[in-house]
mmCIF file of all heavy atoms in Angstrom:
data_model
loop_
_atom_site.group_PDB
_atom_site.id
_atom_site.type_symbol
_atom_site.label_atom_id
_atom_site.label_comp_id
_atom_site.label_asym_id
_atom_site.label_seq_id
_atom_site.Cartn_x
_atom_site.Cartn_y
_atom_site.Cartn_z
ATOM 1 N N LYS A 77 1.223 -89.886 -12.217
ATOM 2 C CA LYS A 77 1.247 -89.608 -13.658
ATOM 3 C C LYS A 77 -0.126 -89.166 -14.147
ATOM 4 O O LYS A 77 -0.241 -88.175 -14.875
ATOM 5 C CB LYS A 77 1.711 -90.878 -14.379
ATOM 6 C CG LYS A 77 1.869 -90.747 -15.873
ATOM 7 C CD LYS A 77 2.930 -91.708 -16.396
ATOM 8 C CE LYS A 77 2.449 -93.141 -16.457
ATOM 9 N NZ LYS A 77 1.443 -93.376 -17.504
ATOM 10 N N SER A 78 -1.156 -89.875 -13.745
ATOM 11 C CA SER A 78 -2.511 -89.533 -14.220
ATOM 12 C C SER A 78 -2.896 -88.121 -13.794
ATOM 13 O O SER A 78 -3.458 -87.348 -14.572
ATOM 14 C CB SER A 78 -3.530 -90.516 -13.640
ATOM 15 O OG SER A 78 -3.325 -91.799 -14.173
ATOM 16 N N HIS A 81 -0.789 -85.331 -15.753
ATOM 17 C CA HIS A 81 -1.330 -85.046 -17.105
ATOM 18 C C HIS A 81 -2.544 -84.124 -17.016
ATOM 19 O O HIS A 81 -2.668 -83.151 -17.751
ATOM 20 C CB HIS A 81 -1.846 -86.331 -17.761
ATOM 21 C CG HIS A 81 -0.808 -87.251 -18.296
ATOM 22 N ND1 HIS A 81 0.068 -86.906 -19.285
ATOM 23 C CD2 HIS A 81 -0.535 -88.549 -18.003
ATOM 24 C CE1 HIS A 81 0.840 -87.951 -19.584
ATOM 25 N NE2 HIS A 81 0.490 -88.958 -18.822
ATOM 26 N N ARG A 82 -3.451 -84.489 -16.133
ATOM 27 C CA ARG A 82 -4.723 -83.763 -16.055
ATOM 28 C C ARG A 82 -4.514 -82.337 -15.551
ATOM 29 O O ARG A 82 -5.235 -81.421 -15.943
ATOM 30 C CB ARG A 82 -5.696 -84.541 -15.160
ATOM 31 C CG ARG A 82 -6.239 -85.819 -15.868
ATOM 32 C CD ARG A 82 -6.752 -86.828 -14.852
ATOM 33 N NE ARG A 82 -7.439 -87.967 -15.448
ATOM 34 C CZ ARG A 82 -6.821 -89.048 -15.965
ATOM 35 N NH1 ARG A 82 -5.499 -89.128 -15.984
ATOM 36 N NH2 ARG A 82 -7.541 -90.047 -16.472
ATOM 37 N N THR A 151 -2.128 -91.963 -22.253
ATOM 38 C CA THR A 151 -3.016 -91.016 -21.573
ATOM 39 C C THR A 151 -3.017 -89.681 -22.313
ATOM 40 O O THR A 151 -4.078 -89.072 -22.517
ATOM 41 C CB THR A 151 -2.572 -90.815 -20.110
ATOM 42 O OG1 THR A 151 -2.495 -92.100 -19.482
ATOM 43 C CG2 THR A 151 -3.547 -89.948 -19.350
ATOM 44 N N ARG A 154 -4.940 -90.056 -25.835
ATOM 45 C CA ARG A 154 -6.384 -90.340 -25.758
ATOM 46 C C ARG A 154 -7.129 -89.167 -25.116
ATOM 47 O O ARG A 154 -8.197 -88.774 -25.602
ATOM 48 C CB ARG A 154 -6.628 -91.646 -25.007
ATOM 49 C CG ARG A 154 -6.105 -92.868 -25.788
ATOM 50 C CD ARG A 154 -6.839 -94.135 -25.368
ATOM 51 N NE ARG A 154 -6.377 -95.312 -26.102
ATOM 52 C CZ ARG A 154 -5.666 -96.318 -25.572
ATOM 53 N NH1 ARG A 154 -5.334 -96.297 -24.293
ATOM 54 N NH2 ARG A 154 -5.315 -97.348 -26.303
ATOM 55 N N LEU A 155 -6.595 -88.616 -24.057
ATOM 56 C CA LEU A 155 -7.306 -87.490 -23.427
ATOM 57 C C LEU A 155 -7.285 -86.262 -24.338
ATOM 58 O O LEU A 155 -8.284 -85.541 -24.469
ATOM 59 C CB LEU A 155 -6.707 -87.152 -22.060
ATOM 60 C CG LEU A 155 -7.334 -87.899 -20.868
ATOM 61 C CD1 LEU A 155 -7.214 -89.391 -20.994
ATOM 62 C CD2 LEU A 155 -6.754 -87.434 -19.543
ATOM 63 N N ARG A 178 -1.010 -98.870 -30.539
ATOM 64 C CA ARG A 178 -2.104 -99.025 -29.559
ATOM 65 C C ARG A 178 -3.450 -98.598 -30.135
ATOM 66 O O ARG A 178 -3.537 -97.707 -30.975
ATOM 67 C CB ARG A 178 -1.742 -98.273 -28.265
ATOM 68 C CG ARG A 178 -0.496 -98.904 -27.640
ATOM 69 C CD ARG A 178 -0.107 -98.266 -26.357
ATOM 70 N NE ARG A 178 -1.104 -98.472 -25.323
ATOM 71 C CZ ARG A 178 -1.105 -97.873 -24.153
ATOM 72 N NH1 ARG A 178 -0.130 -97.015 -23.860
ATOM 73 N NH2 ARG A 178 -2.034 -98.112 -23.272
ATOM 74 N N ARG A 182 -11.272 -96.937 -29.820
ATOM 75 C CA ARG A 182 -12.059 -96.834 -28.583
ATOM 76 C C ARG A 182 -12.354 -95.359 -28.242
ATOM 77 O O ARG A 182 -13.311 -95.078 -27.551
ATOM 78 C CB ARG A 182 -11.334 -97.535 -27.430
ATOM 79 C CG ARG A 182 -9.936 -97.043 -27.200
ATOM 80 C CD ARG A 182 -9.230 -97.769 -26.073
ATOM 81 N NE ARG A 182 -9.083 -99.192 -26.303
ATOM 82 C CZ ARG A 182 -8.814 -100.064 -25.345
ATOM 83 N NH1 ARG A 182 -8.653 -99.673 -24.089
ATOM 84 N NH2 ARG A 182 -8.698 -101.338 -25.622
ATOM 85 N N ALA A 222 -13.681 -101.144 -19.372
ATOM 86 C CA ALA A 222 -13.422 -100.240 -18.246
ATOM 87 C C ALA A 222 -12.157 -99.461 -18.562
ATOM 88 O O ALA A 222 -11.060 -100.003 -18.476
ATOM 89 C CB ALA A 222 -13.247 -101.055 -16.965
ATOM 90 N N SER A 223 -12.287 -98.215 -18.967
ATOM 91 C CA SER A 223 -11.113 -97.412 -19.320
ATOM 92 C C SER A 223 -11.294 -95.970 -18.896
ATOM 93 O O SER A 223 -12.162 -95.256 -19.392
ATOM 94 C CB SER A 223 -10.867 -97.459 -20.834
ATOM 95 O OG SER A 223 -9.938 -96.435 -21.183
ATOM 96 N N ALA A 224 -10.435 -95.539 -17.975
ATOM 97 C CA ALA A 224 -10.477 -94.140 -17.528
ATOM 98 C C ALA A 224 -10.023 -93.207 -18.635
ATOM 99 O O ALA A 224 -10.430 -92.041 -18.677
ATOM 100 C CB ALA A 224 -9.587 -93.968 -16.305
ATOM 101 N N GLN A 225 -9.166 -93.713 -19.521
ATOM 102 C CA GLN A 225 -8.722 -92.841 -20.621
ATOM 103 C C GLN A 225 -9.882 -92.536 -21.557
ATOM 104 O O GLN A 225 -10.048 -91.390 -21.999
ATOM 105 C CB GLN A 225 -7.573 -93.489 -21.390
ATOM 106 C CG GLN A 225 -6.282 -93.540 -20.564
ATOM 107 C CD GLN A 225 -5.132 -94.194 -21.283
ATOM 108 O OE1 GLN A 225 -5.276 -94.721 -22.394
ATOM 109 N NE2 GLN A 225 -3.970 -94.206 -20.645
ATOM 110 N N VAL A 226 -10.671 -93.551 -21.873
ATOM 111 C CA VAL A 226 -11.795 -93.307 -22.781
ATOM 112 C C VAL A 226 -12.846 -92.435 -22.081
ATOM 113 O O VAL A 226 -13.356 -91.464 -22.653
ATOM 114 C CB VAL A 226 -12.406 -94.647 -23.272
ATOM 115 C CG1 VAL A 226 -13.552 -94.361 -24.234
ATOM 116 C CG2 VAL A 226 -11.346 -95.506 -23.944
ATOM 117 N N SER A 228 -12.389 -90.267 -19.730
ATOM 118 C CA SER A 228 -11.883 -88.896 -19.609
ATOM 119 C C SER A 228 -11.894 -88.185 -20.950
ATOM 120 O O SER A 228 -12.233 -86.998 -21.037
ATOM 121 C CB SER A 228 -10.452 -88.923 -19.065
ATOM 122 O OG SER A 228 -10.422 -89.574 -17.821
ATOM 123 N N ARG A 250 -10.372 -95.113 -12.493
ATOM 124 C CA ARG A 250 -9.851 -93.918 -11.812
ATOM 125 C C ARG A 250 -10.672 -92.696 -12.190
ATOM 126 O O ARG A 250 -11.038 -92.508 -13.359
ATOM 127 C CB ARG A 250 -8.358 -93.733 -12.100
ATOM 128 C CG ARG A 250 -8.018 -93.420 -13.519
ATOM 129 C CD ARG A 250 -6.523 -93.562 -13.769
ATOM 130 N NE ARG A 250 -6.127 -94.958 -13.694
ATOM 131 C CZ ARG A 250 -4.870 -95.383 -13.582
ATOM 132 N NH1 ARG A 250 -3.870 -94.535 -13.535
ATOM 133 N NH2 ARG A 250 -4.605 -96.671 -13.520
ATOM 134 N N ILE A 370 -5.114 -101.867 -12.490
ATOM 135 C CA ILE A 370 -4.788 -102.233 -13.877
ATOM 136 C C ILE A 370 -3.316 -102.052 -14.217
ATOM 137 O O ILE A 370 -2.754 -102.860 -14.966
ATOM 138 C CB ILE A 370 -5.719 -101.479 -14.876
ATOM 139 C CG1 ILE A 370 -5.616 -102.087 -16.277
ATOM 140 C CG2 ILE A 370 -5.455 -99.977 -14.889
ATOM 141 C CD1 ILE A 370 -6.135 -103.484 -16.402
ATOM 142 N N ASP A 371 -2.664 -101.046 -13.653
ATOM 143 C CA ASP A 371 -1.251 -100.823 -13.984
ATOM 144 C C ASP A 371 -0.301 -101.602 -13.078
ATOM 145 O O ASP A 371 0.904 -101.595 -13.295
ATOM 146 C CB ASP A 371 -0.924 -99.322 -13.879
ATOM 147 C CG ASP A 371 -1.579 -98.525 -15.007
ATOM 148 O OD1 ASP A 371 -1.917 -99.122 -16.045
ATOM 149 O OD2 ASP A 371 -1.761 -97.309 -14.832
ATOM 150 N N GLU A 394 -7.347 -106.327 -21.149
ATOM 151 C CA GLU A 394 -6.806 -104.977 -21.393
ATOM 152 C C GLU A 394 -5.280 -104.932 -21.234
ATOM 153 O O GLU A 394 -4.616 -104.086 -21.820
ATOM 154 C CB GLU A 394 -7.447 -103.975 -20.428
ATOM 155 C CG GLU A 394 -8.808 -103.464 -20.880
ATOM 156 C CD GLU A 394 -8.727 -102.610 -22.150
ATOM 157 O OE1 GLU A 394 -7.981 -101.631 -22.144
ATOM 158 O OE2 GLU A 394 -9.389 -102.943 -23.138
ATOM 159 N N LYS A 398 -1.504 -102.607 -23.401
ATOM 160 C CA LYS A 398 -0.810 -101.525 -22.680
ATOM 161 C C LYS A 398 0.492 -101.192 -23.431
ATOM 162 O O LYS A 398 0.611 -101.501 -24.601
ATOM 163 C CB LYS A 398 -0.549 -101.952 -21.231
ATOM 164 C CG LYS A 398 -1.836 -102.150 -20.426
ATOM 165 C CD LYS A 398 -2.525 -100.843 -20.165
ATOM 166 C CE LYS A 398 -3.815 -101.010 -19.403
ATOM 167 N NZ LYS A 398 -4.594 -99.767 -19.375
ATOM 168 N N GLU A 399 1.460 -100.594 -22.744
ATOM 169 C CA GLU A 399 2.709 -100.202 -23.400
ATOM 170 C C GLU A 399 3.395 -101.418 -24.045
ATOM 171 O O GLU A 399 4.177 -101.280 -24.981
ATOM 172 C CB GLU A 399 3.639 -99.514 -22.403
ATOM 173 C CG GLU A 399 3.193 -98.100 -22.016
ATOM 174 C CD GLU A 399 2.161 -98.045 -20.897
ATOM 175 O OE1 GLU A 399 1.314 -98.966 -20.775
ATOM 176 O OE2 GLU A 399 2.200 -97.060 -20.127
ATOM 177 N N ARG A 402 1.348 -107.019 -21.643
ATOM 178 C CA ARG A 402 1.911 -107.280 -20.313
ATOM 179 C C ARG A 402 1.670 -108.701 -19.824
ATOM 180 O O ARG A 402 2.375 -109.180 -18.926
ATOM 181 C CB ARG A 402 1.356 -106.259 -19.300
ATOM 182 C CG ARG A 402 1.969 -104.893 -19.526
ATOM 183 C CD ARG A 402 1.512 -103.850 -18.561
ATOM 184 N NE ARG A 402 2.282 -102.628 -18.779
ATOM 185 C CZ ARG A 402 1.931 -101.425 -18.351
ATOM 186 N NH1 ARG A 402 0.804 -101.272 -17.649
ATOM 187 N NH2 ARG A 402 2.683 -100.381 -18.602
ATOM 188 N N ARG A 443 6.888 -100.468 -16.752
ATOM 189 C CA ARG A 443 6.425 -101.237 -15.581
ATOM 190 C C ARG A 443 6.967 -102.672 -15.585
ATOM 191 O O ARG A 443 7.141 -103.279 -14.518
ATOM 192 C CB ARG A 443 4.901 -101.219 -15.524
ATOM 193 C CG ARG A 443 4.338 -99.791 -15.427
ATOM 194 C CD ARG A 443 2.963 -99.742 -14.853
ATOM 195 N NE ARG A 443 2.306 -98.476 -15.150
ATOM 196 C CZ ARG A 443 2.533 -97.324 -14.510
ATOM 197 N NH1 ARG A 443 3.396 -97.293 -13.498
ATOM 198 N NH2 ARG A 443 1.888 -96.230 -14.861
HETATM 199 C C1 S3P B 276 -4.922 -93.985 -17.161
HETATM 200 C C2 S3P B 276 -5.836 -94.980 -17.383
HETATM 201 C C3 S3P B 276 -5.474 -96.396 -17.571
HETATM 202 C C4 S3P B 276 -4.052 -96.685 -17.109
HETATM 203 C C5 S3P B 276 -3.090 -95.646 -17.592
HETATM 204 C C6 S3P B 276 -3.476 -94.265 -17.073
HETATM 205 C C7 S3P B 276 -5.385 -92.594 -16.979
HETATM 206 O O1 S3P B 276 -5.564 -96.725 -18.951
HETATM 207 O O2 S3P B 276 -3.635 -97.947 -17.560
HETATM 208 O O3 S3P B 276 -1.777 -95.944 -17.170
HETATM 209 O O4 S3P B 276 -4.592 -91.750 -16.530
HETATM 210 O O5 S3P B 276 -6.545 -92.335 -17.287
HETATM 211 P P1 S3P B 276 -6.933 -97.321 -19.595
HETATM 212 O O6 S3P B 276 -7.931 -96.245 -19.616
HETATM 213 O O7 S3P B 276 -6.503 -97.769 -20.973
HETATM 214 O O8 S3P B 276 -7.301 -98.474 -18.711
#
Side-chain angles (χ1 to χ4, degrees):
K77 183 151 76 70
S78 293
H81 284 299
R82 287 159 172 82
T151 306
R154 293 204 179 110
L155 270 59
R178 297 182 65 190
R182 55 181 61 198
S223 166
Q225 290 179 355
V226 181
S228 302
R250 66 193 69 195
I370 193 66
D371 289 339
E394 277 294 304
K398 295 290 179 191
E399 287 84 328
R402 287 182 173 162
R443 301 202 198 282

